[in-house]
Amino acid sequence: MEPQGAQQPEELERGAHLPQQPPADASAIVQFYTTVGRDSQNRTLDHILQCNDAAWEIYHDYIQWVFPLHEISGFSHDAQILTESDVALLSSSPTARANMARSITRWREFLGISSPKARDKWADWATERNHNLLRITRSIRSIRL
């Protein structure tokens, strides 16, 4: 089931309904996760989380923003690198923690692991060398931070 207001793939690419300009004193990833920032494609976290599964499957540059890591991405040159300072700020922010929980929930819905009824989606990604396996690894590593 698609979230209400789910957006089509082309909407994920261009971004829509963006909030005000983020504060200048926080990193881009902290701004993004506290809902006032935008990713390199000018999308907010809310925008990405509202996109439908087709958009999540087609576009690959959002995963580095939704699940940031301490290292350079081999797939997205625009991805932010998470610093120890970022981790401390995000960990201490109730908004960022709530947004991570929302991101995890949406990711689980996309993968079909949010409920037994959704398991038919597994056939779409649970195959050898599927690109979503790398995304799953990234999300687990990011969540552990």
Side-chain angles (χ1 to χ4, degrees):
M1 177 177 185
E2 298 299 330
Q4 283 199 346
Q7 297 172 345
Q8 297 302 313
E10 62 274 6
E11 292 173 310
L12 178 59
E13 183 175 27
R14 63 183 152 84
H17 311 293
L18 302 173
Q20 74 230 17
Q21 191 71 321
D25 59 343
S27 73
I29 197 66
V30 170
Q31 294 172 30
F32 178 76
Y33 244 93
T34 55
T35 70
V36 296
R38 301 170 185 157
D39 72 359
S40 59
Q41 300 299 313
N42 209 31
R43 300 170 297 209
T44 64
L45 178 63
D46 285 340
H47 173 82
I48 292 170
L49 296 180
Q50 291 172 10
C51 289
N52 63 26
D53 287 353
W56 275 49
E57 184 60 39
I58 291 169
Y59 297 103
H60 299 118
D61 58 354
Y62 68 89
I63 199 76
Q64 291 82 7
W65 285 85
V66 175
F67 295 109
L69 292 175
H70 287 106
E71 59 198 42
I72 295 172
S73 169
F75 299 97
S76 177
H77 301 293
D78 296 331
Q80 297 294 301
I81 300 171
L82 200 61
T83 67
E84 291 300 324
S85 176
D86 293 337
V87 172
L89 287 168
L90 293 169
S91 297
S92 65
S93 167
T95 301
R97 288 194 319 268
N99 282 333
M100 177 55 81
R102 291 174 51 229
S103 297
I104 293 166
T105 297
R106 178 65 184 98
W107 182 233
R108 292 182 65 197
E109 289 169 357
F110 169 73
L111 294 173
I113 59 175
S114 59
S115 73
K117 292 180 181 178
R119 289 191 176 157
D120 59 337
K121 291 183 180 181
W122 289 15
D124 295 338
W125 63 263
T127 58
E128 189 175 339
R129 296 190 176 137
N130 183 285
H131 69 277
N132 283 316
L133 298 177
L134 292 173
R135 291 173 165 185
I136 292 167
T137 301
R138 180 183 191 90
S139 67
I140 292 168
R141 291 180 63 213
S142 179
I143 293 164
R144 291 183 63 206
L145 299 174

